[in-house]
Amino acid sequence: MEKQRGHVIVLTYPAQGHINPLLQFAKRLASKGLKATLATTHYTINSIQSTTVGIEPISDGYDEGGFKQAPSLEVYLESFKTVGSRTLAELILKFSESTSPVNCIVYDLLVPWAVDVARQFNIYAAVFMTNSASVCSLYWHIDRGNLSFPVKPETLPLLVPGLPPLDLSELPSFLAQPGNHSAYLAIIMEKFGCLEENDWVFCNSFEELESELVKAMSGLWPFVMIGPMVPSAYLDQQIDGDTTYGASLWNPTTECLIWLEAKPANSVIYISFGSMADIQPKQLEEIAWGLKNSGKHFLWVAKEPEKRLPNEFLNSIGETGLVIPWCDQLEVLGNQAVGCFVTHCGWNSTLEGLSLGVPMVGLPQWSDQPANAKFMEVRGVGVRAKRNEEGIVTRENLEMSIKEVMDGGKSGEIRRNALKWRETAKKAVSIDGSSDKNINEFVEKLVKGEG
Ligand code: UDX
């Protein structure tokens, strides 16, 4: 029985913003001749489809005899580590007697224990960063003691090689308010303390996008840029004929695509805060009236609008706007009618906006988003909406930012920059582009190498 060389298990954290880029990476590897299997939790597995990648379940310990909610994030992460390690090892064993034994695990930063499973089987390990390299460099500098943490007010703005000067409000929330979500920060810092134990450190970004940082960090860290992990059809590529992420934890509404078709080019605001952000009622109200007062058509992804948005606003929308629970974001961003993306600047959404050439207004919420919003603005593809003393983006400020991006004196330049980045993103993943070459080197090593 001839054994196939090169079988990668790609292990994702069970959240939309993690499944999308990791599944996309698995598909890209499969298109280059590797066998790729996505491992994900039982809870998420039925939301994922692919014709080129195998999909296999592992357990997080909360799925036996029906799905249960963990009492806290800390408890969940601990359980995922214990039960996930065991079931991942079982999966590797299952393949070991087949024609395609596993010789590499690519794993999400938030499931750091996968590296121990890889070592147990003496196979390659590669960690996959779903954040930008710029954000990763902040964690890296803290780990190496180059940046003090908690951040001292007198050191602000932070001057970090390869990055623009950063104020507190422009840092990842895990660093600016370290008390919140400390379980995630603990995982991240643990991994940055032992990056070298990985055979590869992949980052969902591209060298041209973060060129100054790449220069500043050259030779210092082992990062390899392989992004943007956006389905290739959206980058006008026919590399693998890939037209969708193939994963959606919620049912996308399709009527919005019909609604968009009838609208003039670049006339609609698309607004979404990704899958995890929880926007406070006061902020939601300001967003609602800011959109309405802008006088533009808008498409807003908001969960439970009847419960959470003001009635007066919902009753006044008429034909101007559409509020929907979930959509296929790439289809929407790729639609000619969309002229502005009001976004929380999750890293996937930021890359999607850049890759599809859509000008953005940033309303970052937590995690890496404040830094992403800053970098987006520095690259000239949009603006960050200003907050008041209470930390709220008022209706007036939102309206002003939307106008700046869609109609203001700078709007032409912003649009041109957005289109320029679209071309650069496309080149990075095209044959012989910077990211494509990096992926090829990895594939070659796995097909030829020991392991
Ligand atoms: C989070 C973090 O914010 C992000 O920065 C991190 O690196 C990954 O995890 P999330 O907040 O969900 O993710 O935002 P984002 O990274 O933008 O990912 C959301 C994904 O859901 C995007 O790929 C987007 O295309 C998709 N989406 C969003 C939809 O398909 N439909 C929607 O209606 C909204």
Side-chain angles (χ1 to χ4, degrees):
M1 189 167 59
E2 173 93 10
K3 295 209 174 192
Q4 183 187 346
R5 294 217 61 102
H7 180 180
V8 183
I9 284 191
V10 177
L11 174 64
T12 177
Y13 186 71
Q16 191 73 64
H18 292 255
I19 296 170
N20 283 1
L22 280 135
L23 173 58
Q24 195 53 36
F25 189 50
K27 288 193 284 178
R28 196 63 53 84
L29 296 176
S31 77
K32 289 177 179 292
L34 279 187
K35 181 175 168 63
T37 300
L38 186 89
T40 188
T41 59
H42 288 276
Y43 184 72
T44 54
I45 199 159
N46 291 334
S47 312
I48 304 174
Q49 292 96 34
S50 171
T51 50
T52 57
V53 167
I55 319 275
E56 293 280 348
I58 61 162
S59 174
D60 54 15
Y62 282 90
D63 43 24
E64 273 159 38
F67 297 118
K68 286 176 225 87
Q69 176 99 35
S72 68
L73 177 63
E74 286 76 5
V75 174
Y76 178 77
L77 293 172
E78 202 44 48
S79 164
F80 198 9
K81 178 178 177 174
T82 316
V83 187
S85 298
R86 177 170 48 79
T87 49
L88 178 62
E90 284 164 8
L91 183 59
I92 294 172
L93 275 177
K94 181 179 110 174
F95 284 118
S96 65
E97 296 309 317
S98 73
T99 50
S100 46
V102 176
N103 66 342
C104 181
I105 303 175
V106 174
Y107 65 96
D108 194 311
L109 172 66
L110 295 185
V111 288
W113 40 263
V115 70
D116 300 325
V117 181
R119 293 299 163 241
Q120 189 186 325
F121 288 92
N122 200 22
I123 58 179
Y124 289 122
V127 60
F128 185 105
M129 306 291 177
T130 58
N131 289 172
S132 70
S134 296
V135 163
C136 288
S137 76
L138 294 171
Y139 298 128
W140 189 87
H141 283 299
I142 288 173
D143 175 70
R144 303 295 138 123
N146 305 334
L147 279 181
S148 64
F149 183 72
V151 177
K152 294 197 185 94
E154 63 272 22
T155 61
L156 293 166
L158 286 188
L159 299 174
V160 181
L163 303 187
L166 293 168
D167 273 324
L168 201 60
S169 66
E170 297 163 345
L171 292 177
S173 67
F174 302 154
L175 302 182
Q177 303 121 33
N180 298 343
H181 310 288
S182 50
Y184 282 137
L185 180 63
I187 284 194
I188 293 170
M189 291 318 299
E190 187 192 322
K191 189 58 21 179
F192 273 82
C194 49
L195 274 187
E196 281 72 17
E197 70 184 354
N198 293 284
D199 299 293
W200 290 271
V201 178
F202 291 128
C203 182
N204 185 17
S205 186
F206 50 109
E207 288 166 13
E208 294 79 358
L209 181 63
E210 304 192 73
S211 56
E212 286 181 28
L213 179 86
V214 168
K215 226 188 284 159
M217 297 302 285
S218 166
L220 293 177
W221 70 355
F223 269 53
V224 178
M225 311 284 241
I226 46 75
M229 277 301 134
V230 171
S232 59
Y234 288 95
L235 294 160
D236 293 340
Q237 296 295 301
Q238 295 309 319
I239 310 169
D240 47 15
D242 195 9
T243 56
T244 150
Y245 277 121
S248 196
L249 300 184
W250 296 272
N251 276 336
T253 311
T254 48
E255 62 162 309
C256 61
L257 299 173
I258 301 163
W259 184 84
L260 280 174
E261 279 315 320
K263 305 287 179 285
N266 301 329
S267 68
V268 176
I269 305 162
Y270 168 63
I271 169 160
S272 164
F273 295 95
S275 63
M276 292 162 104
D278 186 17
I279 317 283
Q280 295 312 303
K282 177 84 184 95
Q283 180 63 83
L284 281 176
E285 186 175 351
E286 292 303 306
I287 292 171
W289 292 116
L291 288 174
K292 181 79 189 356
N293 297 346
S294 75
K296 308 266 182 206
H297 289 293
F298 61 86
L299 174 63
W300 187 359
V301 176
K303 302 219 174 83
E304 302 184 306
E306 288 80 13
K307 254 206 225 158
R308 310 200 65 212
L309 301 183
N311 269 336
E312 201 192 329
F313 164 76
L314 289 173
N315 294 336
S316 73
I317 298 178
E319 248 306 289
T320 337
L322 202 58
V323 183
I324 51 167
W326 193 252
C327 67
D328 181 334
Q329 179 159 297
L330 283 170
E331 278 285 303
V332 168
L333 288 175
N335 192 292
Q336 52 84 38
V338 173
C340 172
F341 180 16
V342 176
T343 169
H344 69 316
C345 290
W347 186 236
N348 296 291
S349 292
T350 308
L351 281 177
E352 290 161 15
L354 276 168
S355 303
L356 275 78
V358 185
M360 292 179 257
V361 170
L363 248 85
Q365 301 299 311
W366 69 301
S367 180
D368 54 340
Q369 299 156 16
N372 298 342
K374 167 80 173 183
F375 303 140
M376 176 276 286
E377 190 175 65
V378 167
R379 277 163 191 84
V381 294
V383 299
R384 283 174 301 156
K386 288 192 184 45
R387 291 174 188 275
N388 66 11
E389 322 70 61
E390 294 166 52
I392 300 269
V393 174
T394 60
R395 60 194 73 184
E396 292 81 14
N397 280 352
L398 178 58
E399 191 188 338
M400 206 166 67
S401 296
I402 289 171
K403 295 240 158 91
E404 201 175 334
V405 161
M406 294 182 87
D407 315 310
K410 279 203 302 191
S411 59
E413 192 188 330
I414 291 177
R415 178 150 292 282
R416 278 191 298 282
N417 283 337
L419 294 175
K420 184 194 89 184
W421 280 115
R422 181 196 157 108
E423 287 311 304
T424 316
K426 189 169 126 178
K427 270 202 200 116
V429 291
S430 299
I431 293 168
D432 277 344
S434 55
S435 293
D436 187 62
K437 276 192 197 153
N438 288 340
I439 298 175
N440 287 345
E441 275 176 28
F442 171 62
V443 170
E444 222 166 277
K445 183 100 189 246
L446 284 201
V447 174
K448 287 194 192 142
E450 312 286 304

